[in-house]
Amino acid sequence: MGHIVALKQPKLSDVILERLEQMILEGSLKPGQRLPPERELASQFEVSRPSIREAIQKLEAKGLVVRRQGGGNFISEQLGSSYTEPLFELISRHPESQYDLLEFRHALEGVSSYYAALRGTDADRRIIEKRFGEWLSAHQARDTENEARADAEFHLSIAEAAHNVVLLHTMRSLFTLLKQNIVGNLRFLYEDEAARDKIKAQHTRMRDAVVARDPQLSRSAAHDHLAFVEEILLEKNRAESRNMRALRRLQNLE
């Protein structure tokens, strides 16, 4: 007769650790976000504060949480960038890389929009509506700085609704990479009233298709939007090139 092996009860702090890791992975806790106070987490998980403290210390040891002096615990910002800082700088310094990024976004956002329409829950759709509303407010107020942030958050809310954590975190790192250039691009995009109206119509179509749970339409709406942005940026580069050429001629005359 074989021996009965006693099942080892998991340590409470390890159970909490696993729950918090899952929240980081699914994007409920975002890079740079402050963790709620220990008291609040203890109440939420219905455990003691020492168990919460121990779980946070384990997250810190794994590099997932960063403790700031007198400022609490924060989800590591590094989770928002799967690309290394030197590579970040290289890509941002070479304008032609922007087209590689847009091409990659075509693939990623086409897939994320497709799955968001297919798998998104009612809660996901409410988040998408909220993010769209925030973007629209900044768009109508012509608040370029906030519009750039809200634009990225709207696109990311669709990626979250796709319920694929690898896709979500790859998208996050892409937007971290694009952040340096997105404000400049928006300024150029929104100088033209017709372009402003087109982007508003494209974002509206993206939201409507995902909310209507139409995967094919969602994918084509994402592709159409990015193709338009690509076309505008190409024109921006051509205009800059023409301007530089004219300035050189002017210098020669003087």
Side-chain angles (χ1 to χ4, degrees), residues 95 235-253:
E235 184 46 47
K236 175 190 174 185
N237 280 352
R238 285 191 204 106
E240 282 173 356
S241 174
R242 287 193 292 267
N243 189 41
M244 291 304 291
R245 200 180 295 142
L247 284 171
R248 284 195 297 272
R249 286 182 191 136
L250 185 62
Q251 273 182 329
N252 287 338
L253 279 174

Side-chain angles (χ1 to χ4, degrees), residues 44-252:
Q44 190 181 324
F45 289 115
E46 296 178 343
V47 294
S48 67
R49 283 175 71 173
S51 295
I52 292 291
R53 198 170 301 129
E54 198 177 327
I56 291 171
Q57 283 166 354
K58 287 175 180 176
L59 283 173
E60 204 179 342
K62 289 182 171 196
L64 294 168
V65 161
V66 176
R67 191 188 301 272
R68 292 186 193 161
Q69 199 61 42
N73 300 297
F74 293 78
I75 305 300
S76 171
E77 293 273 11
Q78 287 183 332
L79 292 174
S81 58
S82 61
Y83 296 93
T84 60
E85 280 301 321
L87 184 60
F88 255 27
E89 205 186 327
L90 263 181
I91 292 174
S92 64
R93 274 196 290 113
H94 290 78
E96 65 273 15
S97 303
Q98 290 300 296
Y99 300 106
D100 292 342
L101 276 171
L102 275 167
E103 197 173 89
F104 192 39
R105 276 182 70 187
H106 264 287
L108 286 183
E109 296 204 44
V111 169
S112 69
S113 296
Y114 182 90
Y115 284 121
L118 215 54
R119 300 171 178 164
T121 65
D122 285 341
D124 286 320
R125 285 184 281 275
R126 283 202 298 276
I127 293 167
I128 289 167
E129 293 274 18
K130 185 175 185 293
R131 295 283 180 253
F132 176 82
E134 287 164 359
W135 169 79
L136 191 58
S137 296
H139 177 77
Q140 287 169 339
R142 294 174 185 266
D143 179 353
T144 311
E145 202 76 41
N146 273 329
E147 186 168 7
R149 181 193 49 76
D151 193 317
E153 287 300 328
F154 168 62
H155 283 265
L156 284 170
S157 69
I158 293 174
E160 285 172 353
H163 292 277
N164 179 317
V165 294
V166 178
L167 187 63
L168 171 63
H169 288 282
T170 306
M171 283 272 288
R172 274 198 192 289
S173 64
L174 264 192
F175 276 103
T176 305
L177 189 54
L178 282 167
K179 215 175 281 178
Q180 299 152 352
N181 298 286
I182 207 167
V183 176
N185 289 346
L186 277 178
R187 283 204 182 100
F188 183 81
L189 285 169
Y190 294 143
E191 277 170 7
D192 179 6
E193 283 302 315
R196 287 179 62 81
D197 292 343
K198 276 184 183 170
I199 287 170
K200 182 181 170 184
Q202 287 161 6
H203 274 178
T204 305
R205 187 167 166 249
M206 285 170 71
R207 178 206 59 182
D208 291 350
V210 173
V211 169
R213 307 182 203 188
D214 187 328
Q216 301 290 356
L217 190 59
S218 294
R219 179 162 54 193
S220 73
H223 284 315
D224 290 348
H225 171 57
L226 290 169
F228 176 72
V229 171
E230 195 167 2
E231 187 187 309
I232 293 285
L233 293 182
L234 272 167
E235 184 46 47
K236 175 190 174 185
N237 280 352
R238 285 191 204 106
E240 282 173 356
S241 174
R242 287 193 292 267
N243 189 41
M244 291 304 291
R245 200 180 295 142
L247 284 171
R248 284 195 297 272
R249 286 182 191 136
L250 185 62
Q251 273 182 329
N252 287 338

